[in-house]
Amino acid sequence: MGNVLHEISRNYILVTAAASWLAAQLIKSVVSIVREKRFSPLILMSSGGMPSSHTSFAVALSTMVGLNSGFDSTLFAVSATFSAIIMYDATGVRQHAGKQAAVLNMLIENLNNPNISLDEKLKELLGHTPIQVMAGAVLGITIAFIAGTMVGYIEI
């Protein structure tokens, strides 16, 4: 098991994608502190918000694959396709599910029927606006280019 963890830690492509995700989550925390004037540790693991950590992870992964294997490689094509699907999902399906959750929460709060209850509010911040997704993409590309320079995929 130790050998597997050591090999994973040397996989610069995966480590860079994870670092990009972490950077996005930390930026979300800062944005949340500025907007809400308080820190919530839950924001570190939540979806939604600015920038999109899913997009940042996927785009950093695709960029590193392109830098390592070539932007004309089959592996990059597969990775970029999955990144595009993630970005589409973040701005489409998940954003609309969040809007539906907001409407349901409003309806439940305004019902006076004591027999209708919900154990907890539905999560409304599920998806992203196109700007949040683009910010995640820019973050992912930036971190991948910095990491690519550090590991020798890019020569300056």
Side-chain angles (χ1 to χ4, degrees):
M1 180 68 171
N3 192 34
V4 170
L5 293 177
H6 180 68
E7 288 179 14
I8 289 172
S9 72
R10 289 189 352 234
N11 185 328
Y12 300 121
I13 294 172
L14 184 59
V15 169
T16 299
S20 186
W21 173 86
L22 180 61
Q25 292 300 100
L26 291 173
I27 291 168
K28 274 191 224 186
S29 294
V30 171
V31 169
S32 176
I33 289 168
V34 169
R35 281 190 181 155
E36 299 173 21
K37 308 289 189 248
R38 66 179 179 84
F39 172 71
S40 171
L42 296 176
I43 198 81
L44 289 171
M45 298 305 292
S46 68
S47 61
M50 171 67 108
S52 168
S53 55
H54 291 91
T55 299
S56 182
F57 182 97
V59 170
L61 179 75
S62 293
T63 303
M64 286 296 281
V65 166
L67 292 170
N68 183 50
S69 301
F71 289 95
D72 61 348
S73 69
T74 302
L75 191 55
F76 173 74
V78 170
S79 180
T81 300
F82 280 110
S83 291
I85 291 167
I86 287 167
M87 293 166 69
Y88 175 80
D89 179 67
T91 57
V93 176
R94 289 192 311 124
Q95 187 178 29
H96 288 287
K99 288 178 181 179
Q100 289 175 359
V103 170
L104 288 171
N105 284 334
M106 184 182 68
L107 287 172
I108 290 168
E109 288 172 5
N110 291 310
L111 288 175
N112 292 326
N113 187 340
N115 296 325
I116 298 175
S117 67
L118 189 64
D119 293 339
E120 60 185 64
K121 283 185 78 169
L122 299 172
K123 184 167 174 32
E124 296 175 16
L125 190 59
L126 296 170
H128 298 280
T129 64
I131 289 174
Q132 292 170 335
V133 170
M134 289 309 299
V138 169
L139 179 63
I141 290 169
T142 302
I143 289 177
F145 271 90
I146 291 168
T149 303
M150 292 171 58
V151 299
Y153 295 165
I154 302 172
E155 294 181 24
I156 297 178

